[in-house]
Amino acid sequence: MAVISPATRLAPPLNRPFNHRSSLSSASKKLLFLRNPTLTSPIVSVRCQKPFSTNHHQASSVSSSIDFLTLCHRLKTTKRKGWINQGINGAESIADHMYRMSLMALIAADLNGVDRERCIKMAIVHDIAEAIVGDITPSDGVPKEEKSRREKAALKEMCKVLGGGLRAEEITELWLEYENNASLEANLVKDFDKVEMILQALEYESEHGKVLDEFFISTEGKFQTEIGKSWAAEINARRRTQLTNRQR
């Protein structure tokens, strides 16, 4: 397990409810009530009609929610570039990747001091900015700082589409916590990110007869938690068996 600095927030008890660390000012709340649901987002072109049975605030909230979900549709249709670069037909989408990470958080053994629910939420949102910026990989040659800048700007825009408020704040908080590897939960979810990738690589090797060494090499020695290390070890053991059987 990685050492967490004193500056890092203390991990909450297992399965503690989400307690927001910040709240909207009364002025911010008024802005939410006054938001015009007929304004067209610069990103989302599909908007719902104002329901006749709801008041202005409810219509704005519903409209913003559907706009946000429509934007997130891109996560379902955007393929992960690492697999595209390897010539994988029918490659997984960004949403596919995040979904299995969420399942990992759901089924993993308890880890002392780690909030499982927070891990599930973090897995769901950790790549959400890719709905706008796409899947930026090391092969793109984009510096890490620039990648982070683009994704932060995209996340900010997505939260505007959502209409701000507590849910937008929670998404931002979870995303930043993951990005900065700033908690025990972030350590674990970052491990799940790598575990999911090498598990997918193993599956593609089996399905397509490929050897995808780079994905396994890139994760060696980078797992921070015992769960991550043990799951990665199991995947690598299965891979060795699979490659041995292929050579026979």
Side-chain angles (χ1 to χ4, degrees), residues 43 71 74-75 128-134 150 153-155 157-158:
I43 296 173
L71 177 54
R74 297 181 184 181
L75 298 169
I128 198 168
E130 293 180 11
I132 294 177
V133 301
R150 292 183 192 180
L155 182 70
E157 184 61 39
M158 292 184 76

Side-chain angles (χ1 to χ4, degrees), residues 173-242:
E173 181 181 276
L174 289 164
W175 189 90
L176 288 171
E177 187 176 316
Y178 176 86
E179 179 76 0
N180 296 322
N181 200 24
S183 65
L184 295 174
E185 287 84 358
N187 296 163
L188 184 58
V189 177
K190 279 188 173 289
D191 276 5
F192 290 153
D193 185 50
K194 298 178 183 68
V195 167
E196 205 288 324
M197 183 181 71
I198 62 173
L199 178 56
Q200 186 64 76
L202 175 66
E203 291 162 349
Y204 283 151
E205 284 186 334
S206 175
E207 294 168 9
H208 298 277
K210 290 180 175 287
V211 176
L212 302 171
D213 286 334
E214 66 181 78
F215 298 95
F216 297 91
I217 293 172
S218 68
T219 61
E220 285 180 358
K222 295 184 179 179
F223 294 96
Q224 304 173 81
T225 66
E226 291 306 313
I227 291 174
K229 291 173 184 177
S230 63
W231 286 15
E234 174 66 19
I235 292 168
N236 277 287
R238 294 187 182 200
R239 183 180 188 240
R240 287 191 294 271
T241 300
Q242 181 171 284

Side-chain angles (χ1 to χ4, degrees), residues 6-158:
T8 302
R9 74 165 180 82
L10 294 176
L14 187 65
N15 293 327
R16 62 130 168 86
F18 177 78
N19 294 317
H20 231 280
R21 298 172 199 163
S22 61
S23 59
L24 288 175
S25 65
S26 58
S28 296
K29 290 178 180 177
K30 289 178 181 178
L31 286 175
L32 289 178
F33 290 135
L34 294 173
R35 186 177 183 274
N36 186 346
T38 64
L39 292 178
T40 302
S41 163
I43 296 173
V44 181
S45 60
V46 178
R47 298 188 64 91
C48 68
Q49 297 294 320
K50 178 179 177 181
F52 68 87
S53 61
T54 58
N55 62 31
H56 182 84
H57 174 234
Q58 289 173 321
S60 177
S61 176
V62 169
S63 177
S64 296
S65 296
I66 299 304
D67 287 345
F68 177 80
L69 294 172
T70 299
L71 177 54
C72 288
H73 174 70
R74 297 181 184 181
L75 298 169
K76 297 171 64 177
T77 59
T78 303
K79 304 300 184 183
R80 298 251 288 167
K81 193 177 293 183
W83 310 126
I84 297 296
N85 293 343
Q86 291 292 328
I88 301 294
N89 292 322
E92 68 167 350
S93 68
I94 297 166
D96 292 332
H97 168 66
M98 294 195 294
Y99 176 72
R100 187 153 64 173
M101 283 178 61
S102 303
L103 288 178
M104 290 176 178
L106 179 64
I107 70 170
D110 290 344
L111 195 61
N112 189 35
V114 172
D115 178 354
R116 182 186 305 278
E117 181 180 343
R118 191 169 187 82
C119 289
I120 295 170
K121 290 181 178 181
M122 195 177 292
I124 291 171
V125 306
H126 83 285
D127 278 342
I128 198 168
E130 293 180 11
I132 294 177
V133 301
D135 184 20
I136 302 173
T137 67
S139 65
D140 294 318
V142 178
K144 184 176 181 180
E145 295 76 13
E146 174 60 15
K147 178 177 182 289
S148 181
R149 185 198 68 77
R150 292 183 192 180
E151 292 180 345
K152 285 178 182 176
L155 182 70
K156 184 177 181 180
E157 184 61 39
M158 292 184 76

